[in-house]
Amino acid sequence: MPAEFMEKGGAGGDWYFSCPICREPLEKGEKVCRCPRGHSFDVSAEGYVHLLPRNRMHSSLPGDTKEMVAARRRFLESGAYELFSRELNGMVLFCMEQAPRPLLLDTGCGEGYYTGHMASTLAKAGVNARILGYDISKAAVRAAARRYGKQAEFAVASSFAVPVRDGISGVTVNVFAPVVPEELRRVTAPGGFFILAVPSERHLFGMKKVLYEKPYENTRRDTEYPGFRFLSRREVRGELTLTDPSLIEDLFSMTPYYWKTPESGSRRLREVSSLHTEIGFDFLLYRREEEN
């Protein structure tokens, strides 16, 4: 990996996030980062930067709330999804060793669970890589920066206008975050990798049987994205039994079902003392095509 790439970045130097207004490179200082055109953004006490302009926010506090972020962290740190993290870490290590750029971009990083574990895996393997993560939720990014700020750099940002430079990412990761193909293609270096995590057909089917009168399976798709070549699909399957009602509620609150389940279904879930369900992630691996 090119040494000159690693020498950039950090306080007082060139940085890898870019201005969300004009897309010029940002230079990061101790308390503020700014671009050559004079746009400036405060660096928070936790070390993250808010790069989501107000005119692009669909609400005053978009994304997961503080309570939802706390629920997600409690659930993930219980180890219930560790099998998915292990598979993702292995894929990232494999890809980073072949990537044209020593930079990992975690799109929609949430509170940083997967980001931190990917960073630790690369560090333990002796891979000298920069890690960037962003999410639209300020609460999530704050939690990520507090816990994993020494391993990665974080920003509040949108997947529809990612404030990083063109072709900067050697490995781009997306775990259940919005997929914006043109932005993924722009930020991923030619020859770089894109890892997309999607739920399997029967992921959380046991929970759905409680929530809905007619539970449904997720649709399986091998999606193609312009500018990327599909390489492989890795299926990770398991079963999960939760006997702590608070963890059941935490799991529910971090799924899309939390927003669209009728109150009757939510009530049924709150009344169960244990939950057994299938779980499954599919990891789809793509490679960014070389420029002609």
Side-chain angles (χ1 to χ4, degrees), residues 199-212:
S200 67
E201 293 96 324
R202 293 182 65 84
H203 180 56
L204 298 180
F205 196 76
M207 175 180 282
K208 289 181 178 180
K209 289 197 293 185
V210 178
L211 295 174
Y212 307 120

Side-chain angles (χ1 to χ4, degrees), residues 146-164:
R146 284 176 174 171
R147 179 68 59 86
Y148 305 108
K150 292 183 179 180
Q151 299 170 277
E153 298 166 281
F154 295 98
V156 179
S158 169
S159 293
F160 294 88
V162 185
V164 300

Side-chain angles (χ1 to χ4, degrees), residues 6-228:
M6 297 306 303
E7 291 170 359
K8 299 179 180 181
D14 206 9
W15 205 32
Y16 300 119
F17 285 112
S18 60
C19 178
I21 299 172
C22 66
R23 288 198 169 179
E24 291 287 338
L26 284 171
E27 183 174 300
K28 185 183 181 186
E30 185 177 345
K31 295 184 178 181
V32 69
C33 59
R34 55 173 52 89
C35 74
R37 297 190 181 185
H39 303 124
S40 63
F41 307 87
D42 291 337
V43 178
S44 72
E46 296 84 1
Y48 71 89
V49 182
H50 197 290
L51 299 177
L52 181 61
R54 287 190 175 276
N55 61 1
R56 297 179 189 169
M57 296 169 62
H58 55 74
S59 67
S60 58
L61 289 172
D64 289 350
T65 65
K66 182 179 179 180
E67 292 75 21
M68 294 172 69
V69 169
R72 181 182 298 273
R73 173 158 285 176
R74 286 192 299 267
F75 178 81
L76 291 174
E77 292 190 348
S78 75
Y81 278 8
E82 185 179 353
L83 72 167
F84 304 130
S85 179
R86 287 198 305 266
E87 181 67 24
L88 178 59
N89 296 341
M91 291 182 68
V92 166
L93 179 59
F94 171 81
C95 292
M96 188 58 75
E97 291 174 340
Q98 306 175 63
R101 293 278 194 178
L103 188 143
L104 169 68
L105 177 64
D106 190 1
T107 68
C109 64
E111 49 70 56
Y113 173 81
Y114 294 108
T115 321
H117 284 70
M118 289 185 288
S120 294
T121 296
L122 293 175
K124 289 177 182 177
V127 177
N128 192 17
R130 296 292 291 274
I131 317 294
L132 303 185
Y134 74 83
D135 197 276
I136 199 170
S137 165
K138 181 178 177 180
V141 172
R142 177 181 289 154
R146 284 176 174 171
R147 179 68 59 86
Y148 305 108
K150 292 183 179 180
Q151 299 170 277
E153 298 166 281
F154 295 98
V156 179
S158 169
S159 293
F160 294 88
V162 185
V164 300
R165 304 182 205 175
D166 295 358
I168 202 69
S169 174
V171 180
T172 304
V173 171
N174 180 303
V175 180
F176 295 1
V179 176
V180 185
E182 59 272 20
E183 280 294 271
L184 293 171
R185 185 173 62 250
R186 180 183 66 80
V187 303
T188 306
F193 295 89
F194 170 45
I195 301 171
L196 173 65
V198 298
S200 67
E201 293 96 324
R202 293 182 65 84
H203 180 56
L204 298 180
F205 196 76
M207 175 180 282
K208 289 181 178 180
K209 289 197 293 185
V210 178
L211 295 174
Y212 307 120
E213 294 182 2
K214 296 181 179 180
Y216 57 92
E217 293 189 359
N218 299 315
T219 302
R220 177 189 173 100
R221 295 189 180 93
D222 288 323
T223 306
E224 295 185 0
Y225 297 109
F228 289 91

